[in-house]
């Protein structure tokens, strides 16, 4: 719901901004950067409080009415004239921006029949940076590369608008036979039929390559699916090679900051982890996390998965303080985004809590380690429903070990207990929470 609401906001803002750019261009071409900056600043920055007649900050009810009520404006102007000399009021560059948020909400309601709520609560659920990026891509705006502080006034200056470029919408012709082969291969891959999936995807890859050339999105998708098949078959080197090809094509065709590029970095991190290249895997996970935060926001479920994988890589590299920081944030974001009733939540929750118990025990914080391992034990009992299962027995064994160590650490004049053989760390997570 949050991602869909943000997309509807971006499309509604795109329509309004295009209309204002056309009006500004008809008057003077030099006004375009100021129009763009004023629009984006009014949309994304905190609206400034307007001064009232007595010098205090005006409440929303005291703000001037919209342009649809000219009679009320005339009455107010008459009262100001009769009351003596009025204080000088700065004339805004874009007068329509006063009610911009309401205009965007009304556009969303009319176009999509969807209520995005009050504008005051938008950016508690939407990411300002992701919304800014989406609007710029849809309208054709290139901004200066810098850190934008949206609490500042103004947050975006006319000097930040570097270029306006045309965005052309066109229909891409599709090869029906190749598309059918790609869909059949994808369905067979999801069913676990690796031979049929490999045959169909190879056929689709050959047809796309001959008809549309090597640099297109479908070829990148075929390479990534074939890499997935190679991984299931146990050929990690070939899987890594196919994913590298998919990454090169995705960067060239879709850009460095596309969601597909982020997913490929995530898979490359998983494959490098399987090969024992933990430092390289950590770099891929960090890149995937940064791109997903940039594209979809700070608390997107895919960003939570990549953050959890970053914590597990730090744990395997011995940096337990960073591992605890990343895993704790991943648990909080996952619970906030998915909720405890979501089927994907429990797998991520159990993996992160188990990894947290290991890292905290290595740091000597056995009390918090026991707290997290209790959650793991209770979750395994709830999922399996059998006290005698191997998973529940393993979780109970590690919990009893942590309780014993916590008791020893709590005794006075006792040395810090040492862990001789901690259990195996939690497995890293596939995108969408599937275990690797």
């Amino acid at each position: 719901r949050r991602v869909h609401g943000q997309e509807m906001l971006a499309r509604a803002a795109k329509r309004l901004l295009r209309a204002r750019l056309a009006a500004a261009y008809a008057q003077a071409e030099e006004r375009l950067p100021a129009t763009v900056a004023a629009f984006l600043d009014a949309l994304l920055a905190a609206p400034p409080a307007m001064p009232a007649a007595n010098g205090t900050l005006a409440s929303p009810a005291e703000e001037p009415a919209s342009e649809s009520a000219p009679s009320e404006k005339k009455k107010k102007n008459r009262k100001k004239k009769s009351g003596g000399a009025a204080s000088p009021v700065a004339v805004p560059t874009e007068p329509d921006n006063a009610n911009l948020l309401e205009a965007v909400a009304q556009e969303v309601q009319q176009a999509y029949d969807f209520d995005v709520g009050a504008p005051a609560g938008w950016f508690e659920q939407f990411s300002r940076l992701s919304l800014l990026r989406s609007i710029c891509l849809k309208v054709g705006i290139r901004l200066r590369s810098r850190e934008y502080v949206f609490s500042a006034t103004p947050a975006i200056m006319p000097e930040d608008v570097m270029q306006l470029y045309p965005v052309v919408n066109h229909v891409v012709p599709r090869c029906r036979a190749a598309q059918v082969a790609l869909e059949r291969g994808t369905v067979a891959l999801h069913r676990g039929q690796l031979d049929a999936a490999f045959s169909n995807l190879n056929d689709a890859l050959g047809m796309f390559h001959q008809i549309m050339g090597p640099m297109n999105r479908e070829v990148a998708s075929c390479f990534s699916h074939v890499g997935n098949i190679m991984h299931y078959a146990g050929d990690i080197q070939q899987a890594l090679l196919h994913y590298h090809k998919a990454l090169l094509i995705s960067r060239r065709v879709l850009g460095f900051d596309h969601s597909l590029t982020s997913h490929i970095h995530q898979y490359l991190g998983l494959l490098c982890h399987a090969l024992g290249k933990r430092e390289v895997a950590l770099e891929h996970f960090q890149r995937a996390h940064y791109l997903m935060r940039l594209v979809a926001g700070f608390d997107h479920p895919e960003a939570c998965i990549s953050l959890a994988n970053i914590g597990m890589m730090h744990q395997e590299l011995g940096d337990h303080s960073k591992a605890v920081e990343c895993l704790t944030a991943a648990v909080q974001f996952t619970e906030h985004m998915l909720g405890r009733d979501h089927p994907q939540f429990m797998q991520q929750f159990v993996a992160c809590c188990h990894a947290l118990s290991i890292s905290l025990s290595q740091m000597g914080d056995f009390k918090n380690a026991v707290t997290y391992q209790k959650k793991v034990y209770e979750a395994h009992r709830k999922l399996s429903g059998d006290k005698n299962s191997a998973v529940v027995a393993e979780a109970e064994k590690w919990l009893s070990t942590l309780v014993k160590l916590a008791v020893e650490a709590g005794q006075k004049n006792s040395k810090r207990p040492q862990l001789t053989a901690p259990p195996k760390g939690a497995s890293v997570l596939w995108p969408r929470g599937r275990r690797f």
Side-chain angles (χ1 to χ4, degrees), residues 69-112:
S71 59
E72 295 180 6
K73 281 191 171 183
K74 290 179 181 179
K75 292 180 182 178
K76 291 183 179 180
N77 291 335
R78 289 171 186 171
K79 289 181 181 180
K80 287 182 180 179
K81 289 180 181 179
S82 61
S87 58
V89 179
V91 179
T93 306
E94 296 292 333
D96 295 335
N97 289 337
N99 299 318
L100 177 61
L101 299 180
E102 289 78 5
V104 173
Q106 186 178 2
E107 181 71 21
V108 172
Q109 182 68 39
Q110 292 177 355
Y112 305 105

Side-chain angles (χ1 to χ4, degrees), residues 37-317:
F39 182 92
L40 295 177
D41 187 68
L43 178 65
L44 301 172
M50 299 189 64
N54 57 358
T56 59
L57 294 181
S59 62
E62 297 172 341
E63 293 181 1
S66 61
E67 295 179 358
S68 61
S71 59
E72 295 180 6
K73 281 191 171 183
K74 290 179 181 179
K75 292 180 182 178
K76 291 183 179 180
N77 291 335
R78 289 171 186 171
K79 289 181 181 180
K80 287 182 180 179
K81 289 180 181 179
S82 61
S87 58
V89 179
V91 179
T93 306
E94 296 292 333
D96 295 335
N97 289 337
N99 299 318
L100 177 61
L101 299 180
E102 289 78 5
V104 173
Q106 186 178 2
E107 181 71 21
V108 172
Q109 182 68 39
Q110 292 177 355
Y112 305 105
D113 194 17
F114 182 80
D115 184 13
V116 291
W122 281 359
F123 298 112
E124 295 179 0
Q125 52 180 330
F126 305 134
S127 170
R128 283 183 169 90
L129 186 61
S130 299
L131 185 59
L132 174 63
R133 174 186 176 276
S134 181
I135 294 173
C136 290
L137 289 175
K138 294 178 187 304
V139 180
I141 303 170
R142 187 168 285 115
L143 296 181
R144 188 188 303 275
S145 178
R146 68 175 181 87
E147 183 178 0
Y148 289 94
V149 181
F150 295 104
S151 59
T153 305
I156 301 175
M157 303 291 293
E159 295 78 13
D160 294 326
V161 182
M162 305 297 295
Q163 185 184 7
L164 298 177
Y165 59 91
V167 177
V168 181
N169 295 325
H170 57 277
V171 178
V172 179
R174 294 180 178 271
C175 175
R176 182 171 179 81
Q179 196 68 32
V180 169
L182 176 59
E183 292 174 358
R184 287 178 179 174
T186 306
V187 171
L189 178 60
H190 290 166
R191 292 177 177 175
Q193 302 170 357
L194 300 185
D195 293 335
F198 184 75
S199 175
N200 283 287
L201 289 171
N202 262 342
D203 294 341
L205 181 60
M207 286 186 281
F208 279 128
H209 194 281
Q210 292 180 3
I211 296 171
M212 305 177 66
M215 290 297 170
N216 62 81
R217 180 171 184 165
E218 285 75 12
V219 173
S221 299
C222 290
F223 274 126
S224 63
H225 288 315
V226 173
N228 205 354
I229 294 173
M230 293 296 178
H231 165 254
Y232 283 133
D235 195 346
I236 306 297
Q237 293 291 346
Q238 284 295 321
L240 196 64
L241 178 63
H242 281 80
Y243 271 114
H244 270 299
K245 292 179 180 179
L247 180 62
L248 292 175
I249 297 173
S250 179
R251 283 178 173 179
R252 288 283 298 275
V253 176
L254 303 174
F256 284 86
D257 55 348
H258 195 270
S259 58
L260 180 60
T261 308
S262 172
H263 283 293
I264 295 174
H265 276 293
Q266 183 90 321
Y267 283 110
L268 283 171
L270 296 168
L271 294 174
C272 291
H273 173 262
L275 291 174
K277 301 177 181 179
R278 296 184 178 88
E279 292 83 1
V280 182
L282 178 60
E283 293 178 0
H284 282 295
F285 286 141
Q286 288 174 338
R287 185 67 176 174
H289 180 62
Y290 170 75
L291 292 178
M292 189 53 66
R293 285 178 57 184
L294 179 65
V295 172
F298 295 96
D299 49 0
H300 191 272
E302 298 292 341
C304 299
I305 292 174
S306 58
L307 184 60
N309 288 337
I310 290 172
M312 293 175 189
M313 287 299 100
H314 281 303
Q315 182 185 89
E316 294 189 10
L317 292 171

